[in-house]
Amino acid sequence: MNDRIEALRALMLSKGWDAVIVPGTDPHGSEYPALCWRQVEWLTGFTGEAADVVVTADDAGLWTDSRYFIQAREQLAGTGVSLHKTRVPEEIPIPEWLDRTLPEDAIVAYDSLCFGASSIGPLPERLSVVAVKDLLGAIWPDRPPIPQTPVFEVETGESSEEKIAWLRARLEDNGCDGCLVTALDEIAWLLNVRASDVEYNPYVISYLLVSTDRVKWFVLKDSVEDPQSGETFAGLEDQGVEILPYASVDEEVESFDGELYSGPDLIAPRKAVKNDFEIRSLREAHIREGVVMEKFLYWLEKSLDAGHRITEWDASVYLGKLRAEIGDYLGDSFETISAYGPGAALPHYRTPATNAPVIGETGLYLCDSGGQYMSGTTDITRTVPVGECTPQEREDYTLVLKSHIDLAMAVFPKGTPGCRIDALGREPLWKAHRNFGHGTGHGVGFLLGVHEGPQDIRQNLNPAPLEAGMVVSDEPGIYREGLFGVRHENLLLCVDDGQSEFGEWLRFEPLTLCHFDTAPVDFRLLERAEIKWLNAYNEKVFTTLAPLLPPEIASWLRGKTLSSAIV
């Protein structure tokens, strides 16, 4: 890593740049960039999904949020790259840091292929800014190629022609002649196509130009020769979609005769509201996912009780094997977090494939995982006891569960943004002077990204309202560095809850179906309504999944779901 940073500094010296900004995303703003665009990882060794790097002649820094503070300290050790914390009160953002660090009239170069200068905030006027397309290309000799994987169509309950017609109507409303769509999830949604170009996300790396009378799809397809891809491309061409080379997008945009839309995202709010077909499919996906999870937790408990040596990696592999047995499984929706003890204190822990920690005989084990299925996208976290728990573990486990339940029971007026109910998933922790640094909930796509907007539930002042048909996660947590972590996560569907003289109301309905282990629960910390919700949820899990489970697992699950306190 030191050699790579020095190679970048040599390039800076030859170009007369005083600083460079390297983004942690790709030309499409993806959360999980393909290998060829993992510039931050290649340069620094940091593998988290959210980070930007600044390099000067004698300093280098990486900016990331609290999900990755511990991970960043470990991975940046010895690289000469300093950690800069974001989303904290003492934050010094990149523009301010550059202002403090650089001399008058300094030149700052940034990678214009992967983000605009505005993405990091306004830079001081005294600095000169240089846009450089593919900034690291000159010093990355063995850079992987842009991936090309088979492309296939999916059923979503709405045709691509209907979606394009809707987008054209929105463009007309805004007085525009066309729109360049760069976000891969939005292209996949508009065209009803999927692929595996991006790890964990079923996307096709491409651009889409929609105008009043034409649709042009800029996509790599020279090495995609399977029959299914050919049928997909031919079907889209029959619908009037022009298939053009990926690299020709710049030329096409420059020659576009008309006004291209520039403004708030039109597609994301529409995409986030699932239609009836998508909701039915998601329910089916979560039933199958629930069967997988109950089989996994049964196996884990019985294996540990029998004295078998199970590592975090062993557990992750076994869970993946169970998911792969589902007929419409396409892959994981993110890298499985399988963590025992100190590893669970890292919200985005990476389970090592070699020399993985052994799951012990006491304490808590955390597993955060999800799948991509033809019937939808899933995301679930369960923390379970693997033996006797300490009073601290029991209390934290209960308070996090209490926070989860309080958010799941929320009823709120239509038009409420997630930031206004975030406190419901934190109040029990706050009253005990505890907190967590990540968001309480994120949006989830339909066979798309496991993280999608515009909706979320977090403290950031995001004005996007929660709407019926949106899917969000509910995942409060507690993380005690070097000891253990607790997180309980379900996906929730936002649904109508009627209306009164005070307006229309919304509530949540759990999509995820997997029991919460009540063995570590201190029921003295739960209110009557919370215990009632927990009992009802666990009973629904049993009645839904038991007929689909082998008899011995169904019997085990009956015991797990009957162990709640009596209301």
Side-chain angles (χ1 to χ4, degrees):
M1 301 307 164
N2 292 341
D3 291 343
R4 292 172 181 177
I5 292 174
E6 288 309 311
L8 177 56
R9 286 185 171 131
L11 176 65
M12 293 165 56
L13 183 63
S14 70
K15 300 289 187 180
W17 303 332
D18 298 287
V20 297
I21 304 173
V22 180
T25 186
D26 64 8
H28 306 275
S30 303
E31 179 181 12
Y32 298 105
L35 287 174
C36 58
W37 285 310
R38 292 185 190 173
Q39 301 182 101
V40 167
E41 180 177 341
W42 180 83
L43 189 64
T44 69
F46 176 72
T47 59
E49 286 93 25
D52 295 316
V53 169
V54 176
V55 177
T56 67
D58 53 10
D59 203 349
L62 179 143
W63 277 254
T64 191
D65 62 63
S66 63
R67 295 173 296 170
Y68 304 105
F69 290 165
I70 300 173
Q71 175 183 337
R73 283 202 301 268
E74 294 174 352
Q75 293 183 328
L76 297 178
T79 66
V81 181
S82 302
L83 168 63
H84 294 262
K85 299 179 179 181
T86 65
R87 299 180 183 174
V88 295
E90 64 272 20
E91 174 184 5
I92 301 177
I94 289 176
E96 182 180 340
W97 186 85
L98 290 171
D99 193 29
R100 294 183 182 185
T101 305
L102 298 180
E104 196 72 25
D105 299 323
I107 298 175
V108 179
Y110 70 93
D111 190 316
S112 62
L113 181 65
C114 292
F115 78 157
S118 61
S119 300
I120 60 165
L123 294 175
E125 292 183 1
R126 67 179 186 81
L127 302 178
S128 299
V129 181
V130 178
V132 182
K133 190 173 182 179
D134 193 18
L135 192 149
L136 295 186
I139 62 170
W140 192 349
D142 55 349
R143 193 171 195 163
I146 298 174
Q148 300 177 61
T149 59
V151 182
F152 56 96
E153 290 186 87
V154 294
E155 174 59 49
T156 65
E158 187 176 9
S159 70
S160 60
E161 294 100 323
E162 290 173 308
K163 293 175 180 178
I164 294 294
W166 166 84
L167 178 57
R168 282 176 170 151
R170 300 290 77 73
L171 293 175
E172 183 178 354
D173 292 342
N174 285 274
C176 295
D177 305 296
C179 177
L180 178 66
V181 186
T182 62
L184 302 183
D185 60 333
E186 296 184 358
I187 296 170
W189 179 81
L190 279 167
L191 296 182
N192 286 340
V193 295
R194 303 292 191 270
S196 302
D197 289 359
V198 178
E199 190 175 22
Y200 307 120
N201 295 158
Y203 302 155
V204 187
I205 293 177
S206 56
Y207 295 95
L208 188 71
L209 181 60
V210 179
S211 64
T212 54
D213 58 353
R214 304 178 75 174
V215 179
K216 298 183 178 183
W217 191 25
F218 305 91
V219 60
L220 292 163
K221 66 168 188 172
D222 52 289
S223 68
V224 182
E225 299 177 350
D226 67 296
Q228 189 176 31
S229 294
E231 292 177 7
T232 301
F233 288 126
L236 288 170
E237 288 176 325
D238 288 343
Q239 297 170 24
V241 178
E242 299 175 56
I243 312 294
L244 299 171
Y246 178 76
S248 67
V249 62
D250 286 348
E251 179 182 347
E252 289 285 342
V253 170
E254 289 172 2
S255 63
F256 184 79
D257 184 16
E259 181 73 20
L260 280 176
Y261 176 79
S262 177
D265 195 332
L266 297 173
I267 300 170
R270 170 77 161 73
K271 174 172 62 69
V273 177
K274 311 300 184 286
N275 61 38
D276 290 343
F277 175 90
E278 292 170 325
I279 292 171
R280 288 195 304 271
S281 295
L282 282 167
R283 294 190 198 281
E284 295 170 3
H286 281 87
I287 289 173
R288 290 193 285 271
E289 174 93 333
V291 170
V292 164
M293 285 300 301
E294 297 299 357
K295 287 181 177 179
F296 169 69
L297 294 174
Y298 172 84
W299 166 83
L300 180 66
E301 181 177 301
K302 297 303 180 184
S303 297
L304 293 175
D305 286 349
H308 297 311
R309 183 181 183 275
I310 306 294
T311 69
E312 294 173 343
W313 182 253
D314 295 333
S316 175
V317 169
Y318 189 81
L319 177 55
K321 175 178 174 292
L322 290 174
R323 275 205 176 94
E325 293 173 358
I326 297 179
D328 68 344
Y329 170 79
L330 299 175
D332 290 348
S333 57
F334 57 96
E335 185 174 1
T336 295
I337 300 171
S338 174
Y340 171 76
L346 304 175
H348 282 240
Y349 175 70
R350 271 200 166 178
T351 306
T354 57
N355 300 318
V358 175
I359 299 174
E361 298 177 353
T362 61
L364 299 168
Y365 165 77
L366 183 153
C367 186
D368 187 350
S369 65
Q372 295 283 10
Y373 307 97
M374 290 294 288
S375 49
T377 303
T378 66
D379 181 3
I380 176 175
T381 306
R382 285 297 182 269
T383 304
V384 296
V386 293
E388 185 176 351
C389 293
T390 66
Q392 181 74 83
E393 288 169 331
R394 288 173 57 87
E395 185 173 89
D396 284 353
Y397 183 100
T398 305
L399 289 175
V400 174
L401 183 57
K402 181 182 180 76
S403 297
H404 173 96
I405 293 171
D406 286 359
L407 180 58
M409 292 194 303
V411 177
F412 48 94
K414 184 177 181 180
T416 300
C419 59
R420 290 183 179 166
I421 62 171
D422 177 84
L424 296 177
R426 295 179 187 266
E427 186 180 18
L429 302 177
W430 286 351
K431 286 183 175 179
H433 293 180
R434 293 164 214 187
N435 202 3
F436 53 95
H438 56 74
T440 309
H442 56 81
V444 180
F446 176 80
L447 186 48
L448 290 169
V450 75
H451 302 128
E452 77 165 19
Q455 79 278 20
D456 59 23
I457 301 174
R458 60 187 314 131
Q459 291 179 288
N460 304 54
L461 299 179
N462 176 5
L466 295 169
E467 299 181 43
M470 286 182 169
V471 176
V472 293
S473 67
D474 174 3
E475 49 180 314
I478 288 180
Y479 309 97
R480 296 190 181 272
E481 185 174 351
L483 297 174
F484 65 89
V486 180
R487 185 164 64 253
H488 301 304
E489 177 188 16
N490 278 354
L491 296 191
L492 308 176
L493 176 67
C494 188
V495 299
D496 290 318
D497 196 42
Q499 63 182 68
S500 70
E501 66 271 30
F502 298 99
E504 299 179 63
W505 299 85
L506 300 172
R507 61 179 174 84
F508 292 125
E509 176 186 313
L511 287 172
T512 305
L513 291 169
C514 178
H515 78 279
F516 288 107
D517 198 316
T518 58
V521 172
D522 182 347
F523 283 99
R524 296 171 300 177
L525 299 176
L526 297 183
E527 303 294 332
R528 181 182 180 89
E530 294 162 344
I531 296 173
K532 184 177 180 180
W533 184 97
L534 178 60
N535 287 343
Y537 176 80
N538 275 351
E539 183 63 22
K540 180 180 180 181
V541 169
F542 175 76
T543 57
T544 305
L545 300 184
L548 306 174
L549 291 167
E552 66 276 14
I553 301 180
S555 176
W556 169 85
L557 181 60
R558 177 73 287 181
K560 291 291 183 182
T561 55
L562 284 179
S563 56
S564 302
I566 303 299
V567 179

